[in-house]
Amino acid sequence: AFFSSSCTKDSFVKEVPYPAQNSAKLVVVSYISPDDEQLKVNVSWSRPAYGPGVGKMNMDAQIKDAIVIISDDAGSFKQILWNDKIGQYVLEKNQFPIHTGKIYYLKVSAHGKSVSAKTSIPEAIKGAKFEFVETIARKDHQDGRAIRNEYLYRFSAPWDGLVDGGYYGCYPILDIKTNTYAGD
């Protein structure tokens, strides 16, 4: 019988430290719409993507002393102030109305860092049609029972109803109306 054992050292395995994450970045989240009663902006610091601290919420990440300014393409502007009750920067609609077809700018500065964004509010599509086409019954392969219905709709808009250079989103909403009976 021949038995042999040996010890080896893998010289190719080396522990590499995580790259330095020198500083947190500003994170700004805001949505604007002509329908909203308030314009809200959330400002915070980024969290590490790897290494120590990943997955842990940093309660100090929220920034309450930033300078948040919204402006439009006509040169009007308004500072959005921190609201302790809501926990965000808030501006009432009547102080800076948002209109379709306009361009808006948001600038946020805090602790020597700043970010800015630009957006436009699309106008409504004129002459759009949303029509029901057909119901498609999906059947169970074994006993032929209907297991679900799928509905086919068509959305169309005339070219002259679209604004040049506009950005459009289509968000379908299923509204099911059923008759219910309390009993006979």
Side-chain angles (χ1 to χ4, degrees):
F2 179 73
F3 182 78
S4 171
S5 70
S6 67
C7 295
T8 63
K9 180 178 179 184
D10 191 345
S11 61
F12 296 108
V13 175
K14 180 179 173 186
E15 188 170 317
V16 177
Y18 291 110
Q21 298 180 74
N22 297 334
S23 62
K25 308 290 186 222
L26 283 178
V27 177
V28 178
V29 178
S30 181
Y31 299 95
I32 63 172
S33 168
D35 299 330
D36 293 340
E37 293 301 315
Q38 295 176 323
L39 192 145
K40 297 178 183 177
V41 181
N42 186 27
V43 182
S44 61
W45 292 115
S46 61
R47 295 186 317 210
Y50 49 83
V54 172
K56 296 179 183 174
M57 287 298 294
N58 181 358
M59 299 314 285
D60 298 327
Q62 197 170 32
I63 300 172
K64 301 176 184 180
D65 60 350
I67 297 170
V68 181
I69 304 218
I70 187 166
S71 59
D72 62 19
D73 51 354
S76 298
F77 67 93
K78 193 76 174 169
Q79 184 171 354
I80 306 172
L81 301 175
W82 174 258
N83 183 312
D84 268 329
K85 188 175 180 180
I86 296 175
Q88 291 180 310
Y89 293 85
V90 177
L91 184 65
E92 298 299 324
K93 179 181 184 173
N94 63 359
Q95 294 180 2
F96 197 89
I98 303 297
H99 300 286
T100 58
K102 302 284 184 189
I103 297 173
Y104 294 93
Y105 304 89
L106 185 68
K107 183 167 184 182
V108 178
S109 301
H111 305 272
K113 298 182 184 227
S114 67
V115 294
S116 60
K118 171 184 169 183
T119 192
S120 62
I121 307 298
E123 296 200 29
I125 300 171
K126 296 171 181 73
K129 291 181 189 174
F130 188 73
E131 57 190 327
F132 171 74
V133 176
E134 68 178 303
T135 301
I136 304 164
R138 297 293 179 197
K139 307 248 181 205
D140 187 314
H141 294 293
Q142 295 177 353
D143 63 9
R145 290 182 308 120
I147 56 172
R148 76 174 187 265
N149 288 330
E150 293 179 2
Y151 305 96
L152 181 62
Y153 295 90
R154 180 180 298 119
F155 174 80
S156 60
W159 284 108
D160 61 351
L162 303 176
V163 176
D164 285 340
Y167 171 78
Y168 302 95
C170 181
Y171 304 96
I173 298 172
L174 179 61
D175 185 10
I176 299 175
K177 293 182 177 30
T178 59
N179 294 327
T180 56
Y181 299 99
D184 296 313

